[in-house]
Amino acid sequence: THMRMTGSWHLYRPGEKWRKRRHQARVIIETGEWIAVAFNAPVVETYREFDQNRHPRSGRLGPDLCDPASDLHECAARLFHYDRPESTIAEALLDQRVMSGVGNVYRCEVLWACGIHPWARVADVPQSTCLDLVVTSANMLRANLGSTARVTAPDVAGGLAVYGRNGQRCARCGDVIRLAKMGEMARLVYWCPGCQTGCEPYPVRDDSDPVARATDPHPAGSRWVGDVLRRRDAS
């Protein structure tokens, strides 16, 4: 099942009143002692036990970061050798084949904590940075086990550094936190353009633009052009 932003699993005893209406149930699994119900799950897939490994994601789940015994170096290796190197690092962090447990809130917070640009290509992220992202993810997840309130930045009001704080000032650099949609599912990404510059993708050089033609090909020049174009588009 994929919950996205609407689904949830409930666990009941036989005869116990459900907290949602029956027509909202997408999956019902019953045993003699328990009833598990998935409500409003947008994506539900079923597989026979003998062929579950054919599933492109569920059959090859990465290590569970909530488990202290998980091999974080293996997760970092899966991220560094990601099979879609042109993907963004933000998309790769949500791929459960790399590591299990990272959801949308944590990916935004992890990228901020590590200072990595969400649109950085996986191919451009060094191996040491991959390990830093994995270790930071594991630390955040384990620190919040057993708690309903997710806290990743204790010194920030609300406990989160960027998630849900679009339009507010970054606690680290003071720039304004931005919000955008990313990927096929258009998941929300919160990030700070002021301090999340690690592995930032440079804009594609376009010689049809007079500003680009007047700028040297050095990366610093390309970044300056990107800033100019972003300001021009915003105006």
Side-chain angles (χ1 to χ4, degrees):
T1 56
H2 197 305
M3 301 289 104
R4 293 189 183 170
M5 304 301 289
T6 58
S8 60
W9 276 97
H10 291 194
L11 195 60
Y12 301 101
R13 291 289 189 181
E16 184 179 356
K17 184 178 179 180
W18 293 4
R19 297 190 298 277
K20 292 182 180 291
R21 296 185 179 276
R22 190 177 183 87
H23 73 269
Q24 295 178 279
R26 294 293 310 279
V27 182
I28 302 174
I29 304 174
E30 297 188 39
T31 69
E33 298 181 350
W34 294 98
I35 301 175
V37 189
F39 291 103
N40 302 316
V43 180
V44 175
E45 299 176 352
T46 59
Y47 282 77
R48 296 182 183 274
E49 183 178 2
F50 67 82
D51 69 352
Q52 65 181 2
N53 288 332
R54 294 172 58 191
H55 193 285
R57 293 179 302 278
S58 299
R60 295 176 290 163
L61 285 178
D64 183 357
L65 294 187
C66 293
D67 183 356
S70 293
D71 187 344
L72 302 186
H73 287 276
E74 178 187 346
C75 297
R78 292 187 181 205
L79 186 58
F80 183 67
H81 298 290
Y82 195 57
D83 59 4
R84 294 194 291 272
E86 296 301 314
S87 298
T88 66
I89 190 64
E91 291 174 299
L93 287 178
L94 289 185
D95 192 332
Q96 300 298 295
R97 298 175 303 163
V98 175
M99 51 190 174
S100 301
V102 177
N104 196 37
V105 175
Y106 284 108
R107 78 159 169 181
C108 296
E109 295 296 301
V110 167
L111 288 170
W112 179 86
C114 296
I116 303 301
H117 197 288
W119 275 264
R121 295 188 317 150
V122 176
D124 296 333
V125 179
Q127 191 168 11
S128 59
T129 303
C130 289
L131 181 59
D132 189 23
L133 289 166
V134 170
V135 171
T136 302
S137 299
N139 289 340
M140 285 186 181
L141 284 165
R142 294 171 188 178
N144 285 275
L145 286 176
S147 173
T148 56
R150 285 167 289 198
V151 177
T152 61
D155 297 332
V156 178
L160 299 176
V162 288
Y163 191 86
R165 300 189 65 240
N166 53 303
Q168 302 180 42
R169 295 289 179 181
C170 173
R172 182 164 57 198
C173 72
D175 207 335
V176 178
I177 295 169
R178 295 185 183 179
L179 168 64
K181 292 182 178 180
M182 174 185 285
E184 296 179 0
M185 298 182 183
R187 303 292 293 274
L188 299 179
V189 176
Y190 298 84
W191 89 103
C192 174
C195 57
Q196 286 184 243
T197 56
C199 308
E200 180 177 4
Y202 292 116
V204 177
R205 183 180 175 87
D206 181 4
D207 289 333
S208 66
D209 190 298
V211 177
R213 289 200 303 269
T215 306
D216 65 60
H218 190 276
S222 298
R223 182 172 179 178
W224 178 80
V225 170
D227 292 340
V228 170
L229 296 178
R230 282 194 291 270
R231 286 196 294 270
R232 183 179 66 185
D233 291 343
S235 61

